[in-house]
Amino acid sequence: MAEAGRRVAAADYRVSGEPFYLPVADEAELFEAAYGAQLPVLLKGPTGCGKTRFLEYMSFRLGLRRPDQRPLPLVTVACNEELTASDLVGRYLLTGQGSEWVDGPLTSAVTQGGICYLDEIVEARKDTIVVLHSLTDHRRLLPIAKLGVVIEASPDFRLVVSYNPRYQSSIKNLKHSTQQRFVAIEFGYPSVDTETEIIRQEAQVDEDTAQTLAVAAGKIRNLGQAQLIEGPSTRLLIYAGRLIASGIPARRACESAITQSVTEDPDIADGVREIIRAVVPG
Amino acid sequence: VSAGDHAVALADVMRRLSLLYSGLSGQARTILPYANQDDPAQYPDTQDTIRLPAEACFFADAEGNTDWYRVAIAHRALHDTLGSYDYVFAADPAEFSKTDARLDPPVADGAGDFERFFSLFRLRAFAEQVFTVLEDVRVEARAGHLLPGYTVAFLAARARERPYAPWQGGTPRQLFGDLLVTLSLEPEGTDVKAPRAIAAAAAGLRSTVDRLRRPGATVQDTAEATIRVYATAVALPALALDPAGLVPVPVVAGVLPPPEPARWPDFGAVKLEGDAALEITLRPVGYRDAMWPRFQAHSPAMPHHEPQIIRFLPGLPAAAGHDHGPPGHDHDHDHQHGEERSYQEEHGLHPVEHEHNEPFFDQPAPAVGPLRPDGPGTAVYDEWDSVSGLYRLSWCRVRERRVPALAGADVFDRAVRRHKDVLPGLRAMVESLRPERYAPVGRQSEGSDIDLDAAIEAIIDLRTTGTASDGVYTARVPVERDVAVALLVDLSSSTAERLAPAAGETTLFRDRPKVIDVEMDSVALLATVLDTVHDSFAVYGFSGRGRGDVRFEVFKEFEERLSAGVLSRFAAAVPIAGTRMGAAVRHATVKLRSQHEQTRLLIVLSDGRPYDHDYGQEYGDEAGYASRDVRAAIREAAGHGVRTFLLTVDKEGLDYLRDACGDGAYEVLDDVRLLPDRLLSLYRELTYA
């Protein structure tokens, strides 16, 4: 269990306890094989479909195979348009006396070993992503121009990135030169049965409630990308389930956790409400 | 029931019903109101359209009426998701045994499975009706489980259909038909009575209907049930009988006995006592759809149904066959005309060269004299009269209208599907337009390098005052583009023309896109790029109905973001009438002038020369007059810092407007299919500085 207020260096963070994850297909075996072969991995899939949870689960599962049986260190960087190469590699900070070099999260992971996870890599600027290239091939090197050094990656270092091929998929995409450096594992929304089980487990609701939420989500996802940039994630369904478990009426819980979260467009919200009304008994 | 204020207009709930349908079925269909609420033979649904009454006023509260619409939509979605249209002739049923004598009927090659099945029946129309009602039973039996939120709404909609007196005489066959509809509306196990004369047939019918309510029943079972019900019906005597003596129709409790294997009805043994004996009509149920047009959609070789044929015949009232008064009585010609055309078009029966989606209902503007704005959203503009060499002052009245969203339309998806080959270019274009150039900016609180000047100041401050600004870094920030563009799309009636097939293309006429579709596809693709690279843009359409009524349709204003709602407006573009381009360019220029961007661009997409019914005709050189007016409008725009580019599609490659634009600001495409690609590359050329 996580300890409240526990503070650890970013490069030392490990999950505490086994994360709940229900494999959908052969993704765990694929990831293990890629890990064993020191291959960088790309996790593809919509928001909230369980990419991050999967990685936490794998860091735990693979850690059990190591001599210390501890989960692997997991360094997560949430990418955004402002993220620069310095944010990943490190920079000089000003001190009272002068300046001091501070490693970025990527440099720490490369040095100490562990999984470096760049979440939503497509959001990062192209010039930022380029620093990864020499880490993702046989060289496994991280050059740091400002220090004039090249760091050889620890044998335990692995690079995992995620990206979400959604509405802008046809437009906002990874560069081919980047995409072709990773083994890709694709995540879709789970099947109704799997999603029902995930909701039941994570939200602690009965099977009927969990199934109703899973079915409603499937119908809402039918709306397609022109209406909804992204359908409701499994995460949102778990939130709705938790609200229901706390005594909020089902439709109200869906309104709050699903309808209000998937769209800002009032017309589309009406449509989502209609679907929920059809599937969720009032 | 007096509905009064509780009536619900379809227009008010159309958008969410459409989303409801998409969600429940995973498909998109356009919802349309009945053309004539009183016509009992409404235009039925097609694969692409759903028809519903323009107003629901069946219940005494608005929620009840809205629920009625919901049930109508849910019923259709159940058909789609439970495989009503996935019938396979050779497949085995789950609940019934397969009829022995289901021999492969002699039908044309390529006939669909529905066609093969229904051609087994001599009274084909009756068989189709029976199939429809039985399939309604099957899918609605699953509604309680699949759509538990609608349990009450379904009960209410069915209850509304029930209160009628079915046993008012008639032949046993007709009573049997009435009983079928009644059973389809009653919950399983309800107390239902039938005349003694058909008691045995009624008991068999009930057990067949109940068998379809089992969760495992498939559309193949419905087909088997249809054979059984049909065989029973035609074997009933066609004599009038005394309806007295109602007996309960027994419900078989527990496990249903195995159904008897059906014998194929022996037509020789069926006594046909005059034509009247054939008449079994199954009463339509308001919220349910007629499925038969879609059986036909699966079999292109089919002859058409009689009602369909009647509708296509010119000169006959649309509802011939139903007592609707004398032909031509109460017959709004324009309206009927529009309906017939669109129906034919849906079915791809005749080429539609030009269509007018709205009649010319306005009073024409006077032939001479200035005009005045006649309400909000209207403006007047001068027109250049090249013959007299003078501007005609306040000559054109532009009426601006915001285009309502078309429910359920997925323009971007449609565009991407149709123009897959454009995608790589689209991506490359975004890459090239995206601000890849970064400029270093100092004194930032975060950044990749230390800003030496700021750092030295900070250290001095720190040592002298104890505090310092944290803005000591240099960050590289993207250089923003500074472009505003208005896309002005020609919505003249000629854009209703469908594309000629490309060499080797075998697409059906009705599946080929219209010029307007390609225009809007192109705009949707470009709009998505512009939204991604944060260029400010607006999308307008224009057409003309004479100088007093130049239509200016707003699909997207500069300040709106490109939401799904906006994209679905693009799908609502319809061809209107003429091409009064000069006034439209002037109005778009006014809109662009209020934008603060440095580069202001107007791109006009048109499909031929400008034409309107009073656009220079008095001089006998309307083409010259119109193009010189456009040239004047473009010159005026340039004077206000707006650059105009005209992209015209013309099969003949005629360049009526070259004079209007001057070199480099004008291009003619001889194939509209090139438009999406060309528009994208053109935009890049025009704005990539």
Side-chain angles (χ1 to χ4, degrees):
Chain A
M1 279 289 109
E3 276 173 58
R6 180 171 71 125
R7 213 178 256 225
V8 287
D12 290 333
Y13 175 78
R14 296 159 203 257
V15 294
S16 42
E18 179 174 2
F20 170 73
Y21 180 79
L22 209 55
V24 176
D26 59 350
E27 68 272 24
E29 289 76 32
L30 255 169
F31 190 90
E32 270 189 41
Y35 185 88
Q38 291 196 329
L39 299 176
V41 174
L42 166 66
L43 307 178
K44 254 172 148 172
T47 305
C49 71
K51 300 187 294 282
T52 304
R53 178 62 70 88
F54 169 71
L55 195 58
E56 289 176 352
Y57 167 76
M58 290 311 297
S59 76
F60 180 88
R61 184 167 147 165
L62 288 165
L64 289 180
R65 308 247 188 105
R66 297 174 55 82
D68 61 359
Q69 298 207 330
R70 297 176 66 203
L72 303 172
L74 182 58
V75 181
T76 302
V77 180
C79 299
N80 60 64
E81 279 189 11
E82 308 298 319
L83 187 84
T84 62
S86 306
D87 294 330
L88 287 178
V89 172
R91 60 161 56 84
Y92 280 107
L93 286 184
L94 218 54
T95 66
Q97 312 310 317
S99 62
E100 183 189 347
W101 175 262
V102 177
D103 281 347
L106 180 66
T107 309
S108 304
V110 165
T111 312
Q112 298 178 30
I115 298 174
C116 182
Y117 177 42
L118 303 181
D119 195 7
E120 295 295 352
I121 191 167
V122 79
E123 298 293 340
R125 283 167 23 178
K126 298 273 167 1
D127 59 336
T128 308
I129 295 172
V130 175
V131 305
L132 302 174
H133 283 194
S134 58
L135 274 174
T136 52
D137 56 29
H138 64 280
R139 292 172 287 174
R140 291 176 58 83
L141 293 176
L142 178 63
I144 303 181
K146 282 180 191 154
L147 294 178
V149 300
V150 170
I151 305 178
E152 291 178 10
S154 148
D156 293 338
F157 168 76
R158 297 291 183 281
L159 184 66
V160 178
V161 302
S162 78
Y163 115 92
N164 178 359
R166 54 189 171 192
Y167 179 58
Q168 294 94 336
S169 61
S170 51
I171 290 167
K172 203 169 180 181
N173 235 328
L174 275 181
K175 264 188 166 168
H176 264 279
S177 57
T178 305
Q179 193 160 7
Q180 296 216 1
R181 291 169 174 274
F182 293 87
V183 175
I185 301 180
E186 191 161 14
F187 289 71
Y189 294 115
S191 68
V192 170
D193 289 346
T194 309
E195 198 157 37
T196 300
E197 181 54 24
I198 295 169
I199 299 166
R200 195 184 64 74
Q201 180 88 23
E202 291 276 284
Q204 298 291 309
V205 288
D206 61 74
E207 180 151 3
D208 278 356
T209 306
Q211 190 178 30
T212 302
L213 289 171
V215 168
K219 304 276 186 209
I220 297 167
R221 287 169 192 153
N222 275 341
L223 286 185
Q225 290 178 337
Q227 320 289 352
L228 286 180
I229 291 174
E230 218 161 54
S233 62
T234 309
R235 181 167 41 219
L236 287 182
L237 304 181
I238 293 168
Y239 291 172
R242 287 188 184 155
L243 290 179
I244 295 169
S246 315
I248 304 290
R251 283 187 188 167
R252 184 74 191 95
C254 291
E255 168 73 20
S256 172
I258 300 176
T259 314
Q260 296 296 336
S261 303
V262 293
T263 183
E264 293 296 324
D265 185 319
D267 287 351
I268 299 204
D270 272 345
V272 171
R273 253 174 232 127
E274 286 293 340
I275 295 169
I276 288 170
R277 192 191 166 93
V279 179
V280 180
Chain B
V1 174
S2 161
D5 297 339
H6 306 298
V8 172
L10 179 60
D12 294 339
V13 291
M14 188 152 2
R15 174 118 177 97
R16 48 182 153 135
L17 290 180
S18 168
L19 291 167
L20 174 67
Y21 176 76
S22 301
L24 295 185
S25 72
Q27 299 175 23
R29 275 156 88 184
T30 307
I31 298 177
L32 298 169
Y34 285 167
N36 173 359
Q37 192 102 341
D38 301 324
D39 179 358
Q42 294 298 342
Y43 292 97
D45 287 6
T46 67
Q47 264 167 292
D48 307 317
T49 56
I50 290 174
R51 298 257 181 184
L52 293 173
E55 188 178 77
C57 46
F58 313 121
F59 297 95
D61 62 311
E63 196 57 22
N65 287 317
T66 310
D67 270 352
W68 187 91
Y69 277 129
R70 291 182 175 124
V71 166
I73 291 293
H75 178 89
R76 286 158 173 82
L78 286 169
H79 275 310
D80 291 315
T81 51
L82 295 175
S84 292
Y85 301 103
D86 298 337
Y87 174 70
V88 176
F89 187 79
D92 285 326
E95 300 286 335
F96 289 88
S97 56
K98 199 161 181 168
T99 303
D100 300 338
R102 250 171 77 185
L103 302 170
D104 218 349
V107 289
D109 285 348
D113 284 282
F114 278 121
E115 173 58 19
R116 288 168 72 188
F117 178 66
F118 288 119
S119 64
L120 291 169
F121 299 91
R122 177 154 151 195
L123 307 181
R124 175 185 175 126
F126 176 58
E128 288 183 355
Q129 290 180 52
V130 170
F131 180 91
T132 300
V133 175
L134 292 173
E135 187 59 9
D136 291 341
V137 167
R138 185 181 76 87
V139 301
E140 285 190 18
R142 306 293 310 281
H145 175 67
L146 297 174
L147 306 171
Y150 281 176
T151 308
V152 175
F154 260 106
L155 286 176
R158 288 201 199 109
R160 187 192 153 258
E161 302 284 342
R162 276 201 299 269
Y164 77 117
W167 319 125
Q168 302 297 310
T171 65
R173 283 187 191 171
Q174 184 56 52
L175 293 177
F176 183 78
D178 290 344
L179 180 65
L180 171 60
V181 177
T182 302
L183 285 173
S184 80
L185 292 167
E186 292 290 351
E188 197 172 356
T190 317
D191 190 16
V192 176
K193 289 191 167 62
R196 193 181 303 279
I198 60 165
L205 176 65
R206 182 157 208 172
S207 113
T208 303
V209 166
D210 284 349
R211 194 170 288 274
L212 287 176
R213 292 194 162 119
R214 290 180 172 185
T218 64
V219 67
Q220 325 298 338
D221 288 296
T222 304
E224 283 300 324
T226 302
I227 296 173
R228 285 159 174 80
V229 172
Y230 177 95
T232 311
V234 297
L236 286 170
L239 302 169
L241 81 167
D242 176 10
L246 291 181
V247 293
V249 181
V251 182
V252 182
V255 183
L256 293 174
E260 287 175 26
R263 274 192 324 110
W264 197 248
D266 178 0
F267 289 111
V270 178
K271 273 196 170 178
L272 302 176
E273 303 188 11
D275 282 342
L278 297 177
E279 291 222 342
I280 311 178
T281 337
L282 298 187
R283 187 172 55 93
V285 173
Y287 66 88
R288 294 176 179 167
D289 51 334
M291 289 171 71
W292 57 261
R294 298 201 47 194
F295 302 148
Q296 298 202 334
H298 289 70
S299 52
M302 267 289 302
H304 289 282
H305 268 243
E306 188 187 4
Q308 243 179 336
I309 294 166
I310 289 167
R311 282 184 192 278
F312 296 144
L313 291 176
L316 278 174
H322 299 275
D323 187 12
H324 255 217
H329 173 73
D330 196 18
H331 186 89
D332 174 347
H333 174 75
D334 274 336
H335 197 68
Q336 287 292 346
H337 174 74
E339 269 306 317
E340 282 166 19
R341 294 303 288 263
S342 67
Y343 192 76
Q344 290 169 1
E345 197 196 323
E346 271 171 25
H347 291 259
L349 293 167
H350 297 293
V352 180
E353 283 296 317
H354 291 71
E355 66 183 338
H356 300 277
N357 281 285
E358 291 173 53
F360 287 78
F361 50 79
D362 281 337
Q363 292 294 320
V368 291
L371 297 169
R372 276 189 303 207
D374 61 353
T378 61
V380 293
Y381 293 96
D382 303 342
E383 185 168 285
W384 173 246
D385 180 346
S386 53
V387 179
S388 70
L390 293 169
Y391 273 102
R392 290 170 149 177
L393 298 180
S394 301
W395 195 253
C396 292
R397 181 164 52 216
V398 173
R399 289 181 171 149
E400 188 178 316
R401 181 185 81 117
R402 180 163 292 257
V403 178
L406 183 67
D410 207 332
V411 188
F412 182 74
D413 265 13
R414 180 186 83 180
V416 167
R417 234 183 0 260
R418 277 200 200 135
H419 312 284
K420 284 195 195 74
D421 47 327
V422 176
L423 277 183
L426 205 66
R427 217 170 282 149
M429 177 170 169
V430 172
E431 294 302 329
S432 67
L433 285 179
R434 270 195 144 180
E436 285 292 309
R437 285 176 301 145
Y438 296 91
V441 178
R443 299 184 186 277
Q444 303 293 303
S445 58
E446 288 188 14
S448 47
D449 293 302
I450 289 176
D451 178 345
L452 275 181
D453 290 344
I456 291 166
E457 280 171 31
I459 288 171
I460 293 169
D461 284 350
L462 204 61
R463 294 197 179 164
T464 53
T465 67
T467 59
S469 157
D470 63 352
V472 294
Y473 294 102
T474 305
R476 283 152 53 78
V477 297
V479 179
E480 290 296 333
R481 288 165 57 83
D482 196 20
V483 179
V485 59
L487 300 167
L488 185 58
V489 182
D490 180 354
L491 300 178
S492 60
S493 54
S494 52
T495 58
E497 199 171 314
R498 289 190 191 271
L499 269 53
E505 190 183 326
T506 54
T507 323
L508 288 177
F509 178 81
R510 63 161 183 227
D511 294 333
R512 293 208 298 269
K514 300 173 189 167
V515 172
I516 195 171
D517 297 335
V518 182
E519 282 183 343
M520 295 317 288
D521 285 354
S522 312
V523 168
L525 291 170
L526 180 59
T528 315
V529 171
L530 299 184
D531 194 54
T532 312
V533 301
H534 305 306
D535 279 0
S536 175
F537 71 103
V539 179
Y540 308 118
F542 75 98
S543 188
R545 301 167 176 283
R547 68 184 185 105
D549 189 16
V550 179
R551 295 298 174 97
F552 194 87
E553 309 269 287
V554 177
F555 295 100
K556 179 191 172 297
E557 275 294 5
F558 285 103
E559 59 274 14
E560 286 178 294
R561 64 182 189 89
L562 188 70
S563 65
V566 168
L567 270 171
S568 72
R569 281 184 216 150
F570 291 5
V574 287
I576 305 174
T579 321
R580 195 96 179 191
M581 198 183 285
V585 166
R586 290 183 179 96
H587 194 64
T589 304
V590 168
K591 299 212 162 237
L592 267 165
R593 281 172 61 188
S594 62
Q595 298 305 305
H596 58 78
E597 278 80 0
Q598 205 168 11
T599 306
R600 286 173 294 182
L601 195 61
L602 172 63
I603 300 181
V604 186
L605 300 184
S606 84
D607 83 326
R609 75 178 171 88
Y611 175 86
D612 200 359
H613 63 77
D614 57 354
Y615 205 15
Q617 272 82 345
E618 65 269 45
Y619 299 121
D621 174 25
E622 58 265 33
Y625 177 94
S627 80
R628 285 188 288 274
D629 175 48
V630 174
R631 176 164 62 185
I634 290 174
R635 208 181 294 132
E636 292 157 32
H640 294 297
V642 173
R643 198 172 149 202
T644 308
F645 193 98
L646 206 56
L647 192 54
T648 290
V649 177
D650 191 290
K651 275 185 293 199
E652 317 302 330
L654 297 176
D655 48 354
Y656 314 97
L657 290 165
R658 180 162 306 283
D659 288 350
C661 303
D663 284 344
Y666 179 66
E667 192 169 311
V668 181
L669 298 176
D670 57 5
D671 184 351
V672 69
R673 281 166 232 271
L674 303 173
L675 186 60
D677 199 26
R678 185 58 195 129
L679 181 61
L680 290 169
S681 55
L682 174 71
Y683 184 75
R684 188 180 160 191
E685 287 160 23
L686 290 175
T687 63
Y688 195 68

